[in-house]
Amino acid sequence: MNNMLVLPILIPLSTAVILIFFKDKIRLQRGISVVSGLLTILVSVLLVTRVHADGIQTLQMGGWAPPYGIIFVGDMFAILLVMMASLVSFAILLYSFSSIGEKREKYYYYTFFHFLLVGVYGSFLTGDIFNLFVFFEVMLISSYALISLGGTKLQLRETAKYLLINIVSSTLFVAAVAYLYAAVGTLNMAHLSQRVTEAGQGGVINVIAVLFLIVFSLKAGLFLFFWLPGSYSAPPPAIRALFGALLTKVGLYAIIRTFTLLFVNDTDLTHNLIAWMAAATMILGSLGAVAYKDIPRIFNYNVIISVGFVAFGLAAGTQDALDGAVFYLLHDMLAKALLFILGGLIITAAGTEQLSGMGGMIKKYPLLGWMFFILALALVGIPPLSGFADKLLIIRGALDAGMLVLALVGLGSSFMVLYSLIKVFRLAFWGNEPGNKRPAVSLKGATAVAAGLLVLVIAMGIGADPLYAFVSQAGDVLASPAEYIQAVMVKE
């Protein structure tokens, strides 16, 4: 039993509660938030090294032996996501200091920020399907506050849509959990895996599996993404970065965990359905990315493409594909955070979100322009940047599984990502400047944050071999869940 597992949840939870009492003391809120972020990064790194050395870590709350009671499970997949989420959220926190505005800071922005992280980390670490729902709700309630913070007409309109969609998905989630408990009599994920296998995955179990797929797809933006482009365009850039980097990844984590641990006995149904949804998501996301001419929607459709690509890796289901899906998730959390931060800087410098109102920015902001160009190459998967190794693994795994058409769709979506981002680079940084005078702004602090993330993107690509030792350990558990089940079900 490892008590450290609860710290990534306890640290932001305590921070959020403390910050409530310092509503008007902005500098103090920032300082406490920085300390909290650094502590979470330190704990997550220590957990990664512990899991790498000693295997899966568990924590049985209250001393209740499994399958009873609340349990937290830290396998390499979950801990790597916690570590990357802590790094990304810390960078977004620093970016918020110069971009979110004092008005929002005084209305509990940092409190909601940390409550959202409680939901994210808890979703990754829980070993109980009902507590997954609980942490999802903590995350979503915080996101409702963040998306509406500021009260603009666009925010309120999109908040209503976002709220309605998530209420529906959460209702379906509770129903799916209730049906699953009624069918097999447990909520512990490892025990669920055993019970579903014993019951045989057919009939009502398959119906429940599809219901879970619908729920998590709504939350991740897998095929059912109609709400995402508008909702993620409404809040300020820092909140967009937080949502684009983390929220869809929690939904994807839930899909991957559920369909590699619980519902693994009828892949002809579940994984073929995921494959078709992944293909449709990549195709439709690509069309949206190339059709729009405003930065928020172009970037939001790029988020949708990446969701489809991760689901593509899961659908292929081979060892390479699962390793690639884990690697891609880590890369995409980092790259999407950087993408939205750079997008926010471009919008601030240009004074508009529309590409038609930009041009000639390379003269005043050359560093910003070339950072964006390098990131675009990383998102496409140009070696030796971080997007190459993971995409190669997924494509190779898909070809081994005989999914040639899906592999071609995946490659095609990468070209659409390139086209959409180069369009932004060309129209924003080159060509003639528009006639209207641009506001004078200083981007030094935020540019330094972006530069730090870009260094990590490059380092992930150059250091892909040593990182793969950790990624493959995560992929092994996804491909062969017996190790997860044994680690959880052993009586300590």
Side-chain angles (χ1 to χ4, degrees):
M1 215 161 48
N2 189 344
N3 291 321
M4 195 183 293
L5 273 178
V6 78
L7 288 180
I9 301 168
L10 188 59
I11 292 170
L13 178 60
S14 302
T15 304
V17 173
I18 291 169
L19 291 178
I20 293 173
F21 299 99
F22 301 103
K23 175 179 179 290
D24 297 320
K25 298 182 179 180
I26 302 303
R27 288 185 178 274
L28 183 58
Q29 287 192 60
R30 292 177 179 180
I32 293 172
S33 297
V34 167
V35 172
S36 174
L38 290 173
L39 283 174
T40 307
I41 292 171
L42 175 62
V43 169
S44 65
V45 171
L46 291 174
L47 283 170
V48 167
T49 58
R50 181 71 178 270
V51 173
H52 187 57
D54 301 331
I56 297 172
Q57 304 294 301
T58 62
L59 175 61
Q60 297 145 15
M61 302 298 289
W64 287 84
Y68 309 105
I70 296 172
I71 188 167
F72 293 102
V73 185
D75 67 338
M76 186 57 77
F77 181 38
I79 295 300
L80 281 175
L81 292 179
V82 169
M83 184 184 72
M84 187 57 73
S86 66
L87 288 168
V88 163
S89 61
F90 184 71
I92 295 170
L93 176 70
L94 297 180
Y95 173 57
S96 300
F97 295 165
S98 61
S99 68
I100 200 66
E102 188 174 316
K103 181 179 178 181
R104 289 185 173 90
E105 288 179 304
K106 285 186 176 181
Y107 281 89
Y108 305 103
Y109 169 73
Y110 297 112
T111 296
F112 292 125
F113 184 100
H114 289 286
F115 272 129
L116 184 140
L117 294 181
V118 171
V120 171
Y121 299 145
S123 298
F124 292 150
L125 292 172
T126 186
D128 181 284
I129 194 75
F130 182 75
N131 282 302
L132 178 62
F133 165 76
V134 172
F135 283 116
F136 256 108
E137 290 308 298
V138 172
M139 178 183 73
L140 289 172
I141 290 170
S142 304
S143 71
Y144 301 154
L146 288 171
I147 198 173
S148 62
L149 198 61
T152 66
K153 183 177 179 181
L154 174 62
Q155 284 181 283
L156 295 177
R157 186 186 71 209
E158 292 299 332
T159 298
K161 180 172 67 176
Y162 181 74
L163 188 63
L164 178 62
I165 292 300
N166 280 290
I167 287 174
V168 171
S169 66
S170 295
T171 303
L172 292 175
F173 196 168
V174 173
V177 170
Y179 288 140
L180 186 58
Y181 183 77
V184 296
T186 187
L187 295 172
N188 181 288
M189 290 187 191
H191 200 214
L192 276 169
S193 181
Q194 293 177 325
R195 288 288 183 87
V196 169
T197 300
E198 291 167 1
Q201 190 178 326
V204 69
I205 300 294
N206 271 337
V207 173
I208 294 169
V210 172
L211 185 56
F212 272 108
L213 180 58
I214 292 170
V215 168
F216 295 143
S217 296
L218 271 169
K219 295 182 183 297
L222 178 62
F223 185 60
L224 305 172
F225 60 78
F226 53 91
W227 56 271
L228 191 151
S231 295
Y232 280 19
S233 297
I239 299 175
R240 291 176 198 164
L242 193 66
F243 286 9
L246 298 184
L247 295 197
T248 56
K249 308 308 181 293
V250 177
L252 283 170
Y253 168 82
I255 294 173
I256 293 172
R257 181 66 77 193
T258 302
F259 289 93
T260 59
L261 181 62
L262 307 187
F263 306 113
V264 296
N265 301 301
D266 190 3
T267 56
D268 287 343
L269 171 67
T270 55
H271 286 54
N272 281 338
L273 183 56
I274 292 170
W276 283 105
M277 294 173 73
T281 303
M282 288 187 284
I283 293 169
L284 295 174
S286 297
L287 294 175
V290 301
Y292 284 94
K293 294 185 178 180
D294 64 286
I295 283 179
R297 287 186 183 268
I298 292 172
F299 290 2
N300 289 338
Y301 276 102
N302 273 276
V303 170
I304 291 165
I305 295 170
S306 67
V307 168
F309 209 89
V310 173
F312 162 33
L314 172 61
T318 64
Q319 183 70 61
D320 279 345
L322 291 173
D323 289 350
V326 175
F327 211 152
Y328 190 88
L329 267 177
L330 298 174
H331 148 78
D332 201 60
M333 290 170 76
L334 186 61
K336 286 300 188 296
L338 178 55
L339 181 68
F340 280 94
I341 289 174
L342 290 176
L345 294 176
I346 293 169
I347 291 168
T348 300
T352 178
E353 295 181 344
Q354 301 297 322
L355 291 176
S356 58
M358 300 181 186
M361 291 173 58
I362 198 70
K363 298 176 184 177
K364 291 184 179 179
Y365 307 99
L367 179 59
L368 180 61
W370 292 115
M371 285 170 62
F372 184 85
F373 180 74
I374 294 170
L375 176 63
L377 298 182
L379 285 166
V380 174
I382 303 299
L385 300 170
S386 63
F388 173 70
D390 37 66
K391 287 195 173 185
L392 177 63
L393 285 168
I394 292 175
I395 296 295
R396 189 168 69 187
L399 293 176
D400 290 342
M403 293 183 168
L404 176 60
V405 174
L406 199 55
L408 292 175
V409 171
L411 288 172
S413 72
S414 295
F415 285 112
M416 292 298 101
V417 169
L418 178 63
Y419 177 82
S420 66
L421 296 181
I422 292 300
K423 177 176 69 175
V424 174
F425 179 65
R426 178 175 60 84
L427 294 178
F429 290 97
W430 301 95
N432 297 321
E433 294 186 32
N436 58 309
K437 188 177 181 181
R438 288 173 176 158
V441 292
S442 175
L443 306 178
K444 290 182 179 179
T447 302
V449 173
L453 287 177
L454 184 62
V455 169
L456 291 178
V457 168
I458 296 170
M460 274 189 71
I462 296 173
D465 281 345
L467 183 58
Y468 183 69
F470 296 87
V471 168
S472 62
Q473 187 176 346
D476 288 344
V477 176
L478 297 179
S480 303
E483 182 183 348
Y484 182 99
I485 296 169
Q486 183 179 2
V488 172
M489 297 303 295
V490 65
K491 305 293 191 296
E492 296 187 4

